[in-house]
Amino acid sequence: MVNVRKMEFRDIKKVVELEEKYLLESLGEKLLASELSEKNNGVSFYVIENDDVVIGYIGRYYFFQEAEVLNFVVDESYQRQGYGQKLFDKMVKDMKDVKKYSFFNILLSKAIMPFYVVCIITLEVRASNIKGINFYTKNGFKQVGVRKKYYKNGEDALLLLKEFIWKF
């Protein structure tokens, strides 16, 4: 059975393994544990499980309508089967839940007509990560820049951006 849920402390070791194996770098157990300990800090991590085994995860920072994807990885044996899309869609769906922010609650309660919120997601992807670039392009991301020698091995990162306009 496939399940997408918020990441928990028990998932950290598996997430770090996935990062190191497929991303060649990791946020690290310490940072992930620290971020999970904080409440309402604008950081969310999600895992996807298949038969109770974590096979991928995505993490993002989020402040009002701006998000940055930190890391996104799916075990290679599960790629191109829709698991990554499920993770990505859950992250985006939760971004739209702006009602949890008091600022938007006030706007929604006073609104006499619909209003629109522009949201953006940014991320960096290795220039050599063709699968990742294709996934993001399919999901409406556009390249807006290059970060030269961004990764520890000197590889460039492509800076990608996606805009949403949501009606409330």
Side-chain angles (χ1 to χ4, degrees), residues 14-144:
K14 180 62 177 178
V15 164
V16 169
E17 285 175 22
L18 288 168
E19 287 178 320
E20 289 174 345
K21 183 173 183 179
Y22 297 109
L23 303 179
L24 309 178
E25 297 178 11
S26 173
L27 296 175
E29 289 184 30
K30 233 178 179 176
L31 179 84
L32 289 167
S34 172
E35 294 291 3
L36 288 179
S37 296
E38 296 292 319
K39 299 292 181 210
N40 300 317
N41 63 352
V43 179
S44 291
F45 296 97
Y46 304 89
V47 296
I48 187 163
E49 300 172 310
N50 188 31
D51 295 328
D52 296 322
V53 175
V54 173
I55 59 168
Y57 104 105
I58 191 168
R60 59 125 169 107
Y61 283 120
Y62 185 54
F63 184 74
F64 284 107
Q65 69 267 29
E66 293 186 31
E68 179 183 0
V69 175
L70 302 173
N71 275 344
F72 182 18
V73 63
V74 174
D75 187 293
E76 193 170 61
S77 59
Y78 293 92
Q79 291 178 7
R80 304 192 57 78
Q81 298 175 50
Y83 296 105
Q85 192 66 57
K86 285 182 191 319
L87 264 175
F88 181 79
D89 291 347
K90 173 65 173 160
M91 179 197 72
V92 172
K93 180 180 176 284
D94 282 5
M95 281 178 59
K96 193 173 179 181
D97 186 18
V98 295
K99 293 177 184 173
K100 63 185 170 190
Y101 298 105
S102 58
F103 169 76
F104 285 108
N105 275 331
I106 293 167
L107 285 176
L108 287 169
S109 69
K110 305 278 186 211
I112 55 172
M113 57 191 317
F115 68 93
Y116 298 84
V117 175
V118 176
C119 298
I120 64 167
I121 300 175
T122 60
L123 58 89
E124 290 90 7
V125 61
R126 288 180 184 275
S128 65
N129 184 352
I130 303 305
K131 284 184 195 175
I133 293 166
N134 289 339
F135 176 86
Y136 295 125
T137 300
K138 179 183 89 170
N139 279 279
F141 283 83
K142 305 285 186 225
Q143 182 180 335
V144 294

Side-chain angles (χ1 to χ4, degrees), residues 150-162:
Y150 181 77
Y151 295 100
K152 289 179 184 174
N153 68 355
E155 185 175 356
D156 293 346
L158 305 182
L159 178 59
L160 305 181
L161 179 134
K162 177 181 173 98

